[in-house]
Amino acid sequence: MKKIPSVLELETPALLLDHIKLKNNIAKLKTKFATLAIDFRPHLKTTKCIDIARLVLDGLPKKITVSTLKEAEYFAREGIDDIIYAVGITPDKLNRVLALYDQGTTVHVMVDNLDTALQLQQRSPRFSSILSVLIEIDSDGTRAGLKPDGDQLLEIARTFQQSDKLKFSGLLTHAGSSYQANTVAEIKTVAEKERQAVVAAAEKLKQQGFSCEIISAGSTPTAVFGERLDGLTEFRAGVYMFNDLFQANLGVCNFSDIALSVLCSVIGHQKSKNTLIVDAGALALSKDISTASQTNYCGYGLIQDPVSNALIANLFVQHVSQEHGQITSKNESIDFNQFPIGTKLKILPNHACMMAAPYSSYHVHEDGHVIAIWDKIVGW
């Protein structure tokens, strides 16, 4: 019988994915949306992996969201044929989008300005397929999109109406301010603001004779805590599958729900600096320090024992360079005898999407043993 390797046998740094926690995280939102008359369209920019997509989509419509065209191409090859590309389109990317249409995949592209809409309209006579287009709505002022009561909303929709190769399919918004909330009550307020903005924009368009097949909203915090969904046709979320320290600090999950981590090795002791040196730095962990805006600052990640999965009290990654991480203690001296050279440690992510992005595979484990290696894609 082939030996099942322990995670402690892996060469580091390695991207670990707890299979049980992953399935539990997926099940929680699936259960919530199963009782609602609204589609759930998972965002797969976090995972970039068909094995995870199959778990997520089991029992759901085969509709997804992506953030790169490489993701769209990858998932289309795996048979998913209804995809929102949730980044504003530029004309130079249209050939890749239309090639997917030619293969039988619908890719809804997104615009938030009249210039891009006009460029699509001017190029559309040469399109080989009818291109589905969404207008992005700014529901909270944190990133891109049009204000729901702005004049350009109708102007852009009319521009699409002028071409028989462009189909205006609806609206999309993302409440980025849900990540700035400090309480569950604040997240609920953001969720309602998100819903109201995109529904109001849809109503404005409907009054002028435009139909909105898609009225899409979503983020992981608003998916977990949002209470009203009326007027929406679908909801999107992605990081909930893995969860991370930022989400735990928001109250979206518990620290014990975080499924993703990086396995690293202790490669040095800097006793005069009260620091452990590990072989996981900025490229292995990302340089995301989003928890700096929260009460519980986690540096570049908190430390877990890879066998017990218990958080090691007070330890965190204080600094990173390209391939080195520096772990120190928040309020006491490190007992270096507990962490001899070669000791394996797990680092939990501030931002799971950023941690996972550069790796080409997940080491999927249960109870400290690797049960599978799931490949993923990288790049654009």
Side-chain angles (χ1 to χ4, degrees):
M1 176 183 249
K2 186 176 180 181
K3 181 184 176 184
I4 300 174
S6 164
V7 295
L8 298 179
E9 298 175 52
L10 296 173
E11 186 174 308
T12 55
L15 188 64
L16 302 182
L17 182 58
D18 188 306
H19 192 226
I20 295 171
K21 292 180 180 180
L22 170 69
K23 291 192 293 183
N24 288 342
N25 291 339
I26 290 170
K28 287 176 185 177
L29 271 193
K30 188 172 288 186
T31 298
K32 174 176 179 175
F33 280 88
T35 63
L36 303 172
I38 182 174
D39 284 341
F40 184 65
R41 185 189 289 267
H43 205 319
L44 297 180
K45 68 167 186 174
T46 305
T47 71
K48 304 178 191 287
C49 172
I50 188 58
D51 296 283
I52 300 173
R54 291 185 181 119
L55 289 176
V56 174
L57 291 172
D58 184 33
L60 295 177
K62 300 302 185 281
K63 300 178 180 181
I64 65 169
T65 315
V66 300
S67 284
T68 72
L69 288 180
K70 188 168 185 179
E71 292 164 19
E73 292 159 349
Y74 166 73
F75 289 115
R77 288 195 298 273
E78 298 291 344
I80 299 173
D81 60 5
D82 190 324
I83 301 172
I84 288 180
Y85 172 47
V87 175
I89 191 68
T90 54
D92 60 307
K93 297 174 182 175
L94 287 172
N95 286 341
R96 292 174 70 183
V97 172
L98 291 168
L100 288 169
Y101 272 87
D102 292 343
Q103 296 161 26
T105 300
T106 297
V107 180
H108 311 277
V109 301
M110 187 173 72
V111 303
D112 74 345
N113 62 84
L114 184 59
D115 287 346
T116 301
L118 289 170
Q119 290 186 56
L120 293 182
Q121 191 271 330
Q122 290 162 6
R123 292 168 181 251
S124 64
R126 302 191 296 274
F127 291 175
S128 55
S129 299
I130 298 173
L131 183 68
S132 171
V133 190
L134 304 174
I135 298 176
E136 184 175 12
I137 300 301
D138 177 7
S139 56
D140 58 10
T142 60
R143 197 167 63 188
L146 295 173
K147 294 297 182 185
D149 56 354
D151 293 336
Q152 278 203 0
L153 181 64
L154 288 172
E155 199 171 356
I156 291 172
R158 291 186 181 113
T159 299
F160 299 147
Q161 203 174 38
Q162 295 169 13
S163 171
D164 59 5
K165 289 296 185 69
L166 295 174
K167 177 187 176 184
F168 170 62
S169 294
L171 306 171
L172 177 149
T173 193
H174 167 67
S177 59
S178 64
Y179 293 86
Q180 300 165 9
N182 294 309
T183 66
V184 170
E186 289 180 10
I187 296 173
K188 290 181 178 180
T189 298
V190 171
E192 178 57 13
K193 185 177 179 181
E194 176 185 52
R195 186 196 69 84
Q196 287 180 1
V198 71
V199 170
E203 186 58 34
K204 180 177 179 177
L205 287 165
K206 289 175 183 177
Q207 289 174 359
Q208 298 298 317
F210 293 96
S211 62
C212 293
E213 294 177 14
I214 296 173
I215 305 173
S216 181
S219 71
T220 286
T222 56
V224 171
F225 293 119
E227 295 178 320
R228 289 187 60 189
L229 299 173
D230 46 298
L232 303 177
T233 65
E234 65 175 38
F235 214 87
R236 310 179 319 279
V239 74
Y240 77 96
M241 304 170 205
F242 292 165
N243 286 314
D244 53 31
L245 294 168
F246 192 88
Q247 297 296 326
N249 281 347
L250 282 176
V252 170
C253 66
N254 297 316
F255 288 96
S256 59
D257 296 322
I258 299 173
L260 194 74
S261 63
V262 164
L263 186 74
C264 66
S265 299
V266 175
I267 60 172
H269 293 164
Q270 293 289 322
K271 295 181 180 179
S272 64
K273 299 178 182 178
N274 196 39
T275 299
L276 299 170
I277 308 298
V278 296
D279 60 353
L283 295 182
L285 305 176
S286 93
K287 295 192 79 171
D288 188 298
I289 54 168
S290 51
T291 59
S293 65
Q294 299 175 313
T295 302
N296 181 33
Y297 176 52
C298 301
Y300 293 92
L302 298 185
I303 315 304
Q304 262 187 341
D305 181 284
V307 177
S308 70
N309 287 325
L311 283 172
I312 301 177
N314 299 314
L315 291 191
F316 71 107
V317 183
Q318 184 178 37
H319 298 294
V320 290
S321 50
Q322 183 166 325
E323 301 295 350
H324 295 75
Q326 299 179 40
I327 294 174
T328 192
S329 177
K330 290 185 177 182
N331 57 12
E332 60 188 24
S333 296
I334 293 174
D335 180 356
F336 289 91
N337 293 323
Q338 291 185 23
F339 307 103
I341 303 301
T343 299
K344 300 287 177 66
L345 298 170
K346 285 169 62 175
I347 302 175
L348 298 180
N350 279 324
H351 185 174
C353 311
M354 298 286 279
M355 176 180 274
Y359 291 87
S360 59
S361 61
Y362 299 97
H363 290 85
V364 185
H365 63 96
E366 288 187 3
D367 300 322
H369 294 281
V370 178
I371 63 169
I373 295 176
W374 288 347
D375 291 335
K376 61 184 287 293
I377 59 164
V378 297
W380 291 266

